[in-house]
Amino acid sequence: MTTTEILKSAKSAVKTILTLTTEQKNDALLSMADALEENCEYILSENALDIEAAKGKINEVMIDRLRLTPERIKGMAQGIRDVVKLPDPVGEVLDTVTRPNGLVIKKTAVPMGVVAMIYESR
């Protein structure tokens, strides 16, 4: 699947995400964290290919930033689990303004899309 296809698929998933409960979103995030750890060996083998392809094209500092380790993957998974611990902001009123004519305008947090993690050497 190309990056463009992945992004199109993610965009179409937004409609579904809008209907999810906090529990369903948290379950999905926890599944993502588990999948990272369960697929650690595969991720590391693919990362090794990326590192090999990058040698001679980027410097060693950048190679180190690109290199994944079991600890770095565990850290990514923990980062996702940390998000689950945060309160769900969806529906939270961020600001309220009452216009001179009495119209009340509320700025409310809404889902904007899908969760993605891009690990790359910049």
Side-chain angles (χ1 to χ4, degrees):
M1 189 176 251
T2 68
T3 302
T4 301
E5 291 169 334
I6 292 169
L7 293 172
K8 285 180 181 178
S9 176
K11 185 176 181 180
S12 69
V14 171
K15 292 174 190 168
T16 301
I17 292 168
L18 291 171
T19 64
L20 296 180
T21 65
T22 298
E23 184 178 350
Q24 289 170 316
K25 289 183 276 188
N26 287 343
D27 287 347
L29 288 167
L30 292 171
S31 292
M32 290 166 51
D34 291 344
L36 272 172
E37 291 180 330
E38 290 165 8
N39 292 286
C40 182
E41 290 304 315
Y42 174 74
I43 294 167
L44 292 174
S45 68
E46 292 296 307
N47 181 247
L49 297 174
D50 291 341
I51 299 239
E52 194 57 39
K55 285 184 179 174
K57 296 177 184 167
I58 60 175
N59 66 42
E60 284 302 313
V61 172
M62 299 301 276
I63 293 280
D64 181 61
R65 291 182 72 186
L66 178 63
R67 181 174 288 113
L68 289 173
T69 64
E71 294 77 21
R72 287 179 177 177
I73 291 172
K74 186 175 179 89
M76 287 182 217
Q78 186 56 50
I80 294 171
R81 290 186 180 102
D82 289 344
V83 170
V84 171
K85 295 174 187 174
L86 298 172
D88 186 349
V90 173
E92 180 182 339
V93 176
L94 305 172
D95 191 24
T96 303
V97 176
T98 303
R99 305 294 300 163
N101 66 356
L103 177 66
V104 178
I105 302 169
K106 294 182 181 181
K107 181 195 268 185
T108 306
V110 297
M112 295 207 44
V114 297
V115 175
M117 181 179 294
I118 300 171
Y119 185 86
E120 65 178 279
S121 178
R122 294 183 234 180

